[in-house]
Amino acid sequence: MTDKSSNAMWGGRFAAGPDAIMEAINASIGFDKRLAAQDIAGSRAHAAMLAAQGIITDSDAEAIREGLLTVLSEIETGAFPFSTALEDIHMNVESRLKEVIGEPAGRLHTGRSRNDQVATDFKLWVRDQLDAAEGALVALIRALLAQADSGAEWVMPGFTHLQTAQPVTWGHHMMAYVEMFGRDLSRVRDARARMNESPLGAAALAGTSFPIDRHMTAQALGFDRPAANSLDAVSDRDFALEFLSVASICAMHLSRMAEELVIWSSAQFRFVTLSDRFSTGSSIMPQKKNPDAAELIRAKIGRIFGANVALMTVMKGLPLAYSKDMQEDKEQVFDAADNLMLALAAMEGMVKDMSANADSLEAAAGAGFSTATDLADWLVRALNMPFRDAHHVTGALVAMAESRGCDLPDLSLDDMRSVHTSITQDVFGVLGVHNSVASRTSYGGTAPSEVRKQIARWKDLLG
């Protein structure tokens, strides 16, 4: 077979044959150029340490420092000539540094490897994303607190199985999401604390014979300490997996809230009105106002879940220490981080802008016999009735009201006494939805007084 026919078999962009395929599969510069700022920060810290330890001269360290600043400026202004042939961001930066400063650039890589270099860069990038996620979660929680504060006394139906269960308050429902996103905030902070160990100086896998100071570079880069085992340091991607795990749980919470906003903004519910900034119209139906931002949040979550599964799959079969498989770690994390931050920002915007329709909430709160549990509780408290008996009596009264097409408060006292003779006029004091929510004063309950306590607690926590 001729070279021409052999090359043709590769087709398209790989017409040049196996060399082109190897370059394409091996290169990561197309995506890891996002690590440029972290790569240069790590190199500057490493060069300063090498000079402090007498491993390179001060003049070489100064040339490296100035050269790296030049390279960073070129990248930030879009003037940097990225090369696929140089594989990754590390080699692209080092090659350009040599062009800028000459021979001293060759001393930068003393006492380190691309293995610890990429682990350090990636950790720094993930740490930045955790910091960004923390800020976004705090902003979302504040938006939810504002909604809860404004509607602490508004009644609405609480649901189980999406069926009317008991009346709750709008503030209580908003505070449920505060608790959920608060746990996400806690996980973000935990993950950041756990991952804050520096791989730099672990070299390829065994450390180095040069008298480096890993504590110095760790401190310079804002790490709490250097990683304690060089083999683990270059093998570890737990920090990326934990970020994806935290992101997946947070994304699930975002999706649940997005689902409720889609339902609540429908013409059948009319619980909330979303702002025009986070809605779209229909191309043919002028009456439509579609909750597209909420729907897209709900959909984008699949990409975050997918990234988590993908990286777990990449890592699950790898022996220590570094394998080229680990090049596949970054695209998953980059995509998940982008979509998480977008989803958090969109949700914060929707929550800040949305208007709860208090009248619609209250009208729905009393429907579906939502105070039936209050009636059963009253029978227990006032008549000393065993709860199972009270449940039976209440069920009979619900059936009576349902057959007459009315709600429980619309039954007369005689109607109720026809089911149980000991019922008194006092029962009507617990059947209104406002009475119902006001009575739920147990810690964490839906009573406005309890909701305001939780709002105050969270405002203190956030400072």
Side-chain angles (χ1 to χ4, degrees):
M1 186 178 289
T2 66
D3 288 343
K4 182 177 180 181
S5 63
S6 177
N7 289 341
M9 289 179 65
W10 298 105
R13 58 182 293 202
F14 300 129
D19 288 348
I21 292 180
M22 186 59 197
E23 180 177 297
I25 198 171
N26 194 49
S28 58
I29 188 60
F31 52 85
D32 70 13
K33 60 187 175 184
R34 292 183 67 161
L35 301 176
Q38 290 78 16
D39 188 71
I40 289 171
S43 290
R44 290 181 64 192
H46 186 68
M49 180 275 295
L50 291 176
Q53 293 297 102
I55 299 171
I56 65 173
T57 65
D58 289 341
S59 60
D60 281 350
E62 178 62 19
I64 290 169
R65 187 186 76 84
E66 293 297 327
L68 286 170
L69 290 176
T70 298
V71 173
L72 180 60
S73 177
E74 290 177 351
I75 292 172
E76 290 176 342
T77 58
F80 188 88
F82 289 108
S83 168
T84 303
L86 291 171
E87 295 184 15
D88 56 30
I89 186 61
H90 323 296
M91 296 305 292
N92 268 263
V93 168
E94 188 172 329
S95 176
R96 179 59 182 149
L97 181 65
K98 186 174 182 179
E99 293 174 354
V100 172
I101 69 172
E103 187 264 347
R107 303 187 187 281
L108 173 59
H109 210 52
T110 307
R112 75 174 184 185
S113 160
R114 270 198 292 181
N115 292 356
D116 62 328
Q117 187 179 0
V118 68
T120 301
D121 294 357
F122 197 22
K123 258 198 178 184
L124 290 171
W125 193 90
V126 170
R127 191 176 70 183
D128 289 343
Q129 297 309 301
L130 287 167
D131 289 342
E134 178 178 7
L137 280 164
V138 168
L140 174 55
I141 289 169
R142 290 192 189 280
L144 288 163
L145 287 171
Q147 284 284 352
D149 213 1
S150 65
E153 299 182 8
W154 298 344
V155 291
M156 66 174 289
F159 299 96
T160 62
H161 309 279
L162 205 56
Q163 305 293 314
T164 299
Q166 293 176 263
V168 296
T169 54
W170 171 260
H172 193 56
H173 203 114
M174 293 297 101
M175 290 304 294
Y177 283 109
V178 167
E179 293 294 329
M180 290 164 70
F181 292 118
R183 291 192 294 275
D184 293 324
L185 180 61
S186 175
R187 277 185 282 269
V188 163
R189 290 169 172 169
D190 286 349
R192 193 194 191 284
R194 194 161 22 257
M195 62 90 73
N196 207 33
E197 296 182 345
S198 174
L200 190 57
L205 73 162
T208 178
S209 58
F210 290 99
I212 62 173
D213 185 347
R214 294 188 62 211
H215 288 85
M216 179 180 174
T217 51
Q219 183 177 21
L221 294 171
F223 289 109
D224 295 329
R225 64 192 71 84
N229 183 284
S230 61
L231 193 60
D232 175 62
V234 298
S235 305
D236 169 40
R237 291 299 183 270
D238 287 4
F239 61 91
L241 290 166
E242 190 163 3
F243 170 75
L244 292 177
S245 178
V246 168
S248 293
I249 297 172
C250 180
M252 177 267 292
H253 291 154
L254 288 167
S255 185
R256 293 183 72 179
M257 187 167 194
E259 171 72 2
E260 293 211 311
L261 293 181
V262 170
I263 294 171
W264 289 354
S265 62
S266 68
Q268 288 72 28
F269 275 72
R270 300 186 186 276
F271 284 4
V272 299
T273 301
L274 300 178
S275 74
D276 290 345
R277 295 200 305 163
F278 294 97
S279 306
T280 64
S282 165
S283 61
I284 63 169
M285 294 172 284
Q287 85 281 8
K288 293 287 294 299
K289 185 176 182 181
N290 300 324
D292 280 9
E295 291 172 354
L296 286 167
I297 288 172
R298 194 174 57 185
K300 282 183 177 293
I301 299 325
R303 297 171 67 158
I304 299 173
F305 288 0
N308 192 17
V309 173
L311 185 53
M312 291 283 279
T313 304
V314 167
M315 296 300 299
K316 74 174 182 63
L318 298 186
L320 301 183
Y322 182 82
S323 298
K324 194 68 170 181
D325 309 52
M326 292 164 74
Q327 184 170 287
E328 290 296 308
D329 56 1
K330 294 167 200 65
E331 286 183 284
Q332 314 292 345
V333 177
F334 292 162
D335 187 71
D338 290 346
N339 282 284
L340 177 67
M341 294 307 299
L342 183 58
L344 282 167
M347 185 60 79
E348 182 211 350
M350 280 192 294
V351 170
K352 284 176 70 174
D353 286 4
M354 73 181 180
S355 301
N357 302 323
D359 291 343
S360 295
L361 291 169
E362 182 163 350
F369 309 105
S370 65
T371 57
T373 305
D374 297 276
L375 172 55
D377 289 347
W378 181 87
L379 292 170
V380 172
R381 287 196 312 271
L383 305 184
N384 198 29
M385 190 181 294
F387 183 81
R388 287 302 171 199
D389 294 345
H391 189 281
H392 178 77
V393 169
T394 301
L397 289 170
V398 166
M400 179 186 293
E402 192 170 31
S403 68
R404 297 181 182 182
C406 66
D407 205 350
L408 286 171
D410 301 319
L411 296 175
S412 68
L413 181 59
D414 287 342
D415 290 332
M416 293 194 181
R417 283 177 169 168
S418 71
V419 174
H420 197 285
T421 57
S422 299
I423 295 176
T424 69
Q425 188 70 33
D426 292 344
V427 72
F428 292 99
V430 302
L431 292 182
V433 290
H434 288 281
N435 291 334
S436 173
V437 297
S439 71
R440 307 290 173 179
T441 55
S442 57
Y443 182 83
T446 193
S449 59
E450 288 302 311
V451 170
R452 294 198 185 282
K453 288 177 185 176
Q454 296 302 326
I455 293 171
R457 180 177 71 87
W458 267 100
K459 287 181 176 180
D460 287 343
L461 287 172
L462 295 178

